[in-house]
Amino acid sequence: MAQFSRIVELSCSKLVCQKSRRHYCPALILQTMEISEQGRAELTRLLEVLKIEKQEDFEQHRRMVLNLPLAQRREKGYTWYPVQVVGKGFTIGDRAFVTVERALPPPAEGHEQKASEHQFRGGKMVSLFSLQPNVHRPEYSGTVYFVDKNRMKIVLNAKDLPDWLGLGQVGVNIEFDERTYVEMEKALVQVLNAKKGRLAELRAVLLGEKEPVFTDMNHPVSVEGLNDSQNAAVNEMLAARDVAVVHGPPGTGKTTTLVQAVKLICETEPTVLVCAPSNTAADLLTERLAEEGLNVVRIGNISRVDEAILSHTLEVQLAQHPESKHIKKVKVQAAEARRLARKRAGREERKRFFQEAGELSAWANQLEDRLIEQMLDGAQVITCTLVGAAHPLLERRKFRTVVIDEAAQALEPATWIPITKASRLVLTGDPFQLPPTVKSIEAQRQGLAVTLIEKCLQRIGRTSLLRVQYRMHELIMGFSNQVFYNNALQADASVRDHRLPIPNNNQPLIFIDTAGCGFEEKVQELYQSRYNPEEFLIVCEHLYQMATQFAEAAFPSVAIISPYREQVQWMQSVVAEDAQLAGLPLTINTIDGFQGQERDVVYLSLVRSNAKNEIGFLSDYRRMNVAMTRARKQLIVVGDSGTIGGYRFYEDFLNYCEQHGDYQSAWLYMKGEKGA
């Protein structure tokens, strides 16, 4: 816990902020700034650890995907087969796209047809393949642009569409994503080799070799609707000449604060680059910034297919331009010329058609490039993922301000990608929520999971902490506040004591102890994931009792979450078969999948119950911090104190529940009695 206290201490530094409406501008004469030996060693080690992670990632992909037969890949969601081609055409640059729809297996008798789980997401590398015999080039690589239920759009790494698209037996495989590692490695090498310019100066600040500079502001801004700590953070972002760091614990309005700061920065800067680690987070920022009336252009792949996002993508904006029909027509003509060239037997005739295709493509690209430049030049904000910042369209662009949101979920090498385009940097996030995913145990041991914002909170003395949370009852907030945030947070008056509007069982914090009930965890053999059916029966019983106290229209929003995917799947299957629960507005998900969301009531099923007191995922206390801070009015945690109680974090939590919450035994629910 020492590291937690140190970061909080640094985050709570007093801010002295003053207002300046002038553009900040880096020094006109940029000094040569060689990297220190310590800094070189740190970044070189990061490169080596990244290679370890890349190798482990590939090995897992080989074991889980490459070595499996088609039927198993389909079952596990790594392959869609067969698919029907429902759309095709040409997108930005010399790239074709295909939209496919997968066929679902027939539903069991008496059940509705439901989409099975799959691993495809926007940004995933895939291959479009044909199982037709004797076809030319039966596999095309590409990237998933979006997935919408059973429909997927794939942008191919090819100028032309496959000839076999209409022949049937077409499928899509998930491929190993080497491009992400390539871009991270390129960024680290660029940072290592920078000898002068803003990148070298920012490197010195971020490595703790140079103190960041802040502009004195004579008149601090005060944004209506923001609290004091939020306004202080906005002023800090405006005053920063090098780096600003904003620490936003759960429910403190980090995104709201960031959006207001970007809006003010846009008044004095032509274009701000705003990035996040995932497509989901980048889409949310796009939507929130656009709601403020800013001209936002979303670059790259997307996670949601709705008007709120699509209308801001570069692809849609380009397609809606009056000149786009002409460009599309020329691209089709070029593709047809290439197709005819491949079919011609004579060398001169082939040469003529290829030459015609080249001239048409060059013309189309020239027109398209001009339109894209106009759109990007006119954008107040460009949004993308961290890896998306390496998009060819942004290759030659630099930005006065680069903002990285959710920086505590980003691998440090990925964070450096947009930094290479920055004159100044804003980092926001919370290192006490979910960390970035690291697949290699060795890479994690060597520090790959430690993020750049964590390092900055320790190295930079002047940072901002958002102190008021607007989500939870203060008792739900209390334990996390005590353990992670040094009691620096306070609940706003609007949420401090809000409870469920029922006379019984409306205590904000409940722990239901299954110790002594014999609810042993079980292991799913194929995936080695844990689940605990009996523990979920206690959750169900509590839900039954709650349902009797609410009229249907007034039933609160409810989430049931667990650290284990197998428990989630078990809970989903049970609820689907339970007539009393199936009609309730329930969200069931893993903790990781539920991050960023909230509900009135949250049930947390801990699952682990064994004689060896092994707790697995539960030992990641940051994951537990996320889980325990999703509820607005009531948090119900179900677990075995005998298994978890030997760990200091959970011992403290159980004590907190006894002192401030409602500590119950699962036997009350097994006997059909109501809890207090």
Side-chain angles (χ1 to χ4, degrees):
M1 298 295 176
Q3 184 186 9
F4 294 165
S5 300
R6 174 63 177 150
I7 292 178
V8 170
E9 179 185 337
L10 293 168
S11 298
C12 296
S13 301
K14 185 177 180 181
L15 307 178
V16 181
C17 304
Q18 297 170 347
K19 181 180 177 183
S20 171
R21 280 298 184 192
R22 293 180 305 155
H23 263 325
Y24 111 85
C25 187
L28 295 177
I29 301 174
L30 298 172
Q31 298 178 344
T32 298
M33 188 170 292
E34 294 285 350
I35 189 170
S36 68
E37 286 303 314
Q38 183 177 346
R40 181 173 295 280
E42 179 178 331
L43 293 174
T44 301
R45 184 170 61 253
L46 192 57
L47 260 174
E48 294 303 316
V49 176
L50 186 62
K51 291 176 182 176
I52 295 172
E53 173 70 3
K54 178 181 178 181
Q55 183 60 36
E56 175 60 27
D57 195 1
F58 176 75
E59 287 301 320
Q60 289 190 21
H61 179 79
R62 182 180 59 79
R63 291 193 301 269
M64 298 172 68
V65 181
L66 297 182
N67 291 349
L68 294 179
L70 176 61
Q72 288 188 32
R73 292 202 309 272
R74 285 181 60 192
E75 181 184 348
K76 292 188 174 185
Y78 296 112
T79 295
W80 280 13
Y81 181 85
V83 297
Q84 180 181 357
V85 178
V86 295
K88 57 187 177 181
F90 301 92
T91 185
I92 293 173
D94 281 339
R95 299 181 74 183
F97 76 82
V98 175
T99 304
V100 300
E101 201 168 76
R102 65 169 170 164
L104 294 176
E109 187 176 349
H111 291 73
E112 293 183 2
Q113 188 175 52
K114 296 178 69 175
S116 56
E117 289 282 332
H118 63 80
Q119 308 298 322
F120 292 89
R121 304 288 183 272
K124 285 278 190 182
M125 306 299 293
V126 296
S127 63
L128 183 73
F129 66 87
S130 171
L131 295 184
Q132 286 284 351
N134 304 318
V135 296
H136 172 70
R137 193 179 170 187
E139 194 169 320
Y140 279 62
S141 65
T143 307
V144 177
Y145 179 60
F146 70 73
V147 179
D148 183 23
K149 298 178 182 176
N150 298 306
R151 182 172 290 212
M152 174 163 41
K153 180 176 178 179
I154 303 164
V155 178
L156 301 175
N157 299 323
K159 293 181 180 181
D160 297 313
L161 296 161
D163 295 331
W164 38 258
L165 274 182
L167 301 179
Q169 293 185 268
V170 176
V172 187
N173 278 326
I174 282 183
E175 294 292 296
F176 177 66
D177 185 6
E178 187 174 24
R179 174 180 167 265
T180 296
Y181 289 100
V182 169
E183 297 299 346
M184 288 192 286
E185 290 167 1
K186 279 171 57 178
L188 283 176
V189 170
Q190 186 177 347
V191 173
L192 267 166
N193 293 335
K195 291 184 170 59
K196 60 182 178 180
R198 283 303 287 164
L199 181 56
E201 293 174 352
L202 286 175
R203 179 188 64 201
V205 173
L206 294 168
L207 291 177
E209 299 169 355
K210 180 177 177 287
E211 284 295 320
V213 176
F214 293 84
T215 302
D216 290 331
M217 300 177 68
N218 296 323
H219 304 287
V221 300
S222 181
V223 179
E224 186 178 356
L226 298 188
N227 63 46
D228 289 346
S229 65
Q230 290 172 329
N231 270 311
V234 169
N235 280 284
E236 193 78 338
M237 287 184 261
L238 296 175
R241 294 190 62 183
D242 301 303
V243 178
V245 180
V246 178
H247 184 181
T252 55
K254 172 179 61 65
T255 303
T256 298
T257 305
L258 178 60
V259 166
Q260 292 303 318
V262 171
K263 186 178 179 182
L264 287 170
I265 293 169
C266 285
E267 293 180 9
T268 58
E269 298 182 14
T271 308
V272 178
L273 180 64
V274 178
C275 305
S278 68
N279 283 303
T280 301
D283 287 350
L284 174 62
L285 288 167
T286 301
E287 189 173 4
R288 293 289 300 275
L289 289 162
E291 287 172 354
E292 292 295 321
L294 297 172
N295 180 8
V296 185
V297 175
R298 173 77 162 90
I299 298 288
N301 309 296
I302 56 178
S303 65
R304 299 203 326 262
V305 185
D306 56 44
E307 183 62 23
I309 300 303
L310 277 176
S311 61
H312 298 288
T313 62
L314 186 60
E315 284 78 2
V316 169
Q317 291 188 18
L318 188 64
Q320 291 174 345
H321 195 279
E323 289 189 37
S324 66
K325 290 183 180 179
H326 180 56
I327 295 171
K328 182 179 179 181
K329 182 178 179 181
V330 175
K331 285 187 177 184
V332 170
Q333 289 173 345
E336 178 63 14
R338 284 191 294 270
R339 188 185 69 81
L340 291 173
R342 288 193 294 268
K343 290 192 172 184
R344 292 300 187 266
R347 185 172 64 180
E348 287 301 318
E349 199 174 10
R350 285 202 307 272
K351 180 180 177 182
R352 179 169 61 83
F353 275 110
F354 275 127
Q355 183 177 354
E356 180 185 345
E359 290 171 354
L360 288 168
S361 290
W363 186 19
N365 289 337
Q366 185 179 3
L367 292 172
E368 188 174 77
D369 290 346
R370 188 186 69 193
L371 286 181
I372 290 171
E373 287 298 307
Q374 290 176 0
M375 290 175 182
L376 294 181
D377 287 344
Q380 292 175 284
V381 181
I382 294 175
T383 57
C384 62
T385 62
L386 300 177
V387 177
H391 196 290
L393 295 176
L394 301 179
E395 187 175 359
R396 295 186 301 275
R397 290 182 176 265
K398 299 289 184 180
F399 301 87
R400 286 199 174 118
T401 302
V402 169
V403 177
I404 299 177
D405 192 21
E406 302 294 358
Q409 294 181 47
L411 291 176
E412 181 181 343
T415 309
W416 284 105
I417 297 172
I419 293 174
T420 62
K421 301 180 179 299
S423 286
R424 70 166 171 174
L425 175 67
V426 174
L427 293 172
T428 71
D430 181 12
F432 303 135
Q433 296 190 58
L434 286 180
T437 300
V438 177
K439 297 183 178 180
S440 165
I441 296 174
E442 178 60 23
Q444 187 158 19
R445 188 186 68 79
Q446 294 194 35
L448 187 58
V450 180
T451 61
L452 189 59
I453 192 172
E454 287 179 79
K455 294 178 180 179
C456 286
L457 284 167
Q458 296 182 43
R459 292 168 175 169
I460 297 176
R462 185 167 168 172
T463 62
S464 302
L465 176 70
L466 304 181
R467 299 169 178 270
V468 182
Q469 70 85 14
Y470 296 88
R471 176 184 299 160
M472 297 159 270
H473 189 288
E474 62 181 350
L475 291 183
I476 299 174
M477 175 193 76
F479 181 69
S480 288
N481 192 21
Q482 170 185 302
V483 173
F484 296 101
Y485 306 110
N486 202 27
N487 288 319
L489 306 183
Q490 63 185 61
D492 185 72
S494 62
V495 302
R496 190 173 298 146
D497 192 36
H498 62 174
R499 298 170 181 253
L500 292 176
I502 52 177
N504 300 314
N505 227 0
N506 70 344
Q507 175 71 24
L509 177 63
I510 299 173
F511 182 79
I512 303 178
D513 193 352
T514 65
C517 295
F519 295 170
E520 288 285 313
E521 68 192 58
K522 295 175 174 54
V523 180
Q524 205 276 357
E525 292 299 330
L526 185 60
Y527 302 110
Q528 291 297 298
S529 182
R530 264 67 177 178
Y531 65 112
N532 195 321
E534 290 84 5
E535 183 174 283
F536 184 56
L537 292 178
I538 303 301
V539 173
C540 291
E541 183 61 33
H542 194 280
L543 267 170
Y544 297 149
Q545 295 181 12
M546 182 186 296
T548 62
Q549 298 183 67
F550 281 95
E552 185 175 344
F555 196 82
S557 59
V558 176
I560 310 172
I561 60 177
S562 175
Y564 291 94
R565 166 64 62 184
E566 193 62 29
Q567 180 75 346
V568 168
Q569 292 179 347
W570 175 267
M571 296 189 299
Q572 288 172 335
S573 65
V574 171
V575 168
E577 299 293 329
D578 190 319
Q580 288 182 263
L581 300 179
L584 297 178
L586 306 178
T587 299
I588 305 175
N589 208 337
T590 60
I591 296 171
D592 296 42
F594 196 66
Q595 170 154 292
Q597 301 183 60
E598 58 187 72
R599 295 292 187 274
D600 291 330
V601 179
V602 172
Y603 290 87
L604 171 58
S605 173
L606 298 180
V607 174
R608 300 311 293 260
S609 180
N610 57 76
K612 297 180 180 180
N613 296 342
E614 294 176 346
I615 62 172
F617 278 156
L618 303 189
S619 61
D620 186 343
Y621 303 142
R622 289 177 294 184
R623 180 173 274 108
M624 288 302 108
N625 185 35
V626 170
M628 293 173 179
T629 55
R630 301 301 99 194
R632 301 185 193 111
K633 299 178 180 179
Q634 188 174 65
L635 171 66
I636 303 106
V637 182
V638 185
D640 182 352
S641 66
T643 298
I644 67 175
Y647 297 82
R648 175 65 183 275
F649 176 86
Y650 291 103
E651 180 186 13
D652 290 346
F653 176 66
L654 296 174
N655 290 335
Y656 181 84
C657 291
E658 283 188 317
Q659 294 172 21
H660 304 287
D662 189 358
Y663 195 114
Q664 303 178 359
S665 170
W667 285 102
L668 294 174
Y669 297 92
M670 294 170 67
K671 296 174 182 177
E673 301 175 28
K674 292 185 180 181

